[in-house]
């Protein structure tokens, strides 16, 4: 299990983002049945096809136990094992919804996701930003265009062009709407890139 903050910080002063970290989602644990007392599972993370960490999660009454190894800046591996309390709140239509209580000292914030560094803690304790908080207008336009490319099942990247065809099972009207929206986003993104390049031309 690696240390926190393995993202690419290409801009001076940019904070680590939630996408840079290993995330443990309580909703995923609950839906897969791993919050039932006595059950145990393992989760692993990878980035660009390479493993970056794994964790063992064991459920008990009112909490889970996390077991993994961590190290900082290439130091020695340290065994980590500690409980994370779980709180449940009632849902409007019956049943309850589980939440982690952040285990970082002095926090105990109720959260749905814990992010892994030396300790699994909430976004605020790790001082994490959302990716959009580190973006300039060029990045934002490109990200929005890429989200549409993903929905259209086209290769990522605005320089890959359009017209890759309609995804199987997608309605023609939906496809035409997404293509029209993408072309607008692409024009904005390419314009932002052109402006950026013009400053250094």
């Amino acid at each position: 299990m690696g240390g926190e903050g393995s993202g690419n910080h290409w801009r001076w002063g940019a904070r680590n983002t939630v996408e840079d970290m290993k995330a443990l989602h309580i909703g995923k644990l609950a839906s897969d049945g791993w919050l039932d007392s006595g059950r145990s599972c393992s989760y692993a993370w990878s980035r660009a096809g390479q493993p970056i960490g794994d964790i063992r999660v064991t459920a008990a009454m009112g909490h889970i136990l996390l077991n993994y190894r961590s190290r900082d800046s290439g130091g020695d591996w340290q065994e980590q094992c500690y409980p994370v309390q779980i709180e449940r709140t009632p849902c409007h239509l019956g049943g309850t919804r589980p939440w982690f209580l952040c285990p970082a000292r002095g926090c105990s914030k109720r959260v749905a996701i814990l992010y892994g560094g030396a300790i699994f803690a909430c976004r605020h304790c790790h001082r994490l930003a959302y990716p959009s908080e580190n973006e300039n207008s060029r990045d934002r336009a490109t990200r929005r265009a890429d989200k549409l490319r993903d929905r259209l099942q086209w290769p990522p990247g605005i320089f890959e062009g359009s017209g890759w065809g309609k995804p199987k099972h997608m309605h023609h009207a939906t496809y035409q709407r997404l293509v029209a929206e993408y072309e607008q986003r692409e024009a904005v993104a390419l314009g932002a890139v052109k402006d950026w390049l013009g400053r250094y031309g």
Side-chain angles (χ1 to χ4, degrees), residues 23-98:
L24 191 62
H25 297 255
I26 197 166
K28 175 67 172 172
L29 291 172
S31 64
D32 290 347
W34 297 117
L35 294 183
D36 297 337
S37 185
R39 298 204 67 186
S40 184
C41 66
S42 294
Y43 276 89
W45 294 269
S46 62
R47 183 174 292 127
Q50 298 298 315
I52 59 172
D54 59 83
I55 191 170
R56 188 78 179 167
V57 180
T58 303
M61 189 65 67
H63 70 275
I64 58 172
L65 190 68
L66 303 184
N67 197 314
Y68 58 95
R69 295 193 308 159
S70 70
R71 65 176 177 178
D72 290 323
S73 303
D76 293 335
W77 288 100
Q78 301 291 326
E79 295 289 338
Q80 305 287 354
C81 184
Y82 54 90
V84 175
Q85 300 300 315
I86 293 175
E87 184 175 286
R88 292 183 176 272
T89 57
C91 298
H92 292 301
L93 300 178
T96 60
R97 177 178 178 179

Side-chain angles (χ1 to χ4, degrees), residues 5 10 15-16 38 73 75 90 96 100-101 103 110 127-128 131 154 157 164 168 177 180 186 193 196-197:
W10 43 267
R15 290 188 288 161
N16 284 336
S73 303
T96 60
F100 294 127
L101 298 184
R110 183 194 295 162
R127 297 179 56 80
L128 300 177
W154 292 354
W164 287 82
K168 190 176 181 180
R177 177 177 58 79
E186 180 189 55
V193 171
W196 179 74
L197 291 174

Side-chain angles (χ1 to χ4, degrees), residues 11 15 17 123 128-136 140:
R11 183 175 296 114
R15 290 188 288 161
T17 74
R123 180 175 73 91
L128 300 177
Y130 289 113
S132 59
E133 294 179 66
N134 286 341
E135 290 178 335
N136 56 30
R140 191 175 303 111

Side-chain angles (χ1 to χ4, degrees), residues 9 60 117 127 132 144-145 154 172 190 195:
H9 302 292
R127 297 179 56 80
S132 59
R144 289 171 176 172
W154 292 354
H172 283 280
L190 291 174
D195 290 344

